[in-house]
Amino acid sequence: MSRLLARFSRDQSGATAIEYGLITALISIAIIAAVQSIGVSIEAKFEKANDCVKASTSAAQATC
C-alpha cells in the first residue's frame, strides 16, 4: 500500500494535463477577445460604407 501511495505522489501526468488545459483555456479567451474587438471594428466600417452607398443614391450628402 505504501508503494502505491509513493508512486501516486510522484506521478505528474495529471498535473501536466491540467496545466495544458489551463493554457489552452487562456489562449482561447485571448483569441475570442481579439476576434470580438476586430468584429466591432469591421462592423463599424461596413455601417459607414452602407451609409455612403445610401447617400450616393439619394440627395443627402455624406462624408465618405
Side-chain angles (χ1 to χ4, degrees):
M1 183 66 157
S2 63
R3 269 205 244 159
L4 179 64
L5 289 174
R7 191 176 77 193
F8 181 73
S9 67
R10 284 179 294 194
D11 186 15
Q12 295 291 317
S13 62
T16 304
I18 291 171
E19 290 169 356
Y20 283 134
L22 290 173
I23 290 170
T24 303
L26 290 174
I27 291 171
S28 298
I29 290 170
I31 290 171
I32 290 169
V35 168
Q36 284 181 340
S37 175
I38 292 169
V40 170
S41 175
I42 291 174
E43 182 181 6
K45 291 185 187 297
F46 274 109
E47 287 177 2
K48 183 177 180 184
N50 186 30
D51 292 342
C52 289
V53 170
K54 284 181 182 179
S56 67
T57 58
S58 66
Q61 294 290 328
T63 57
C64 296

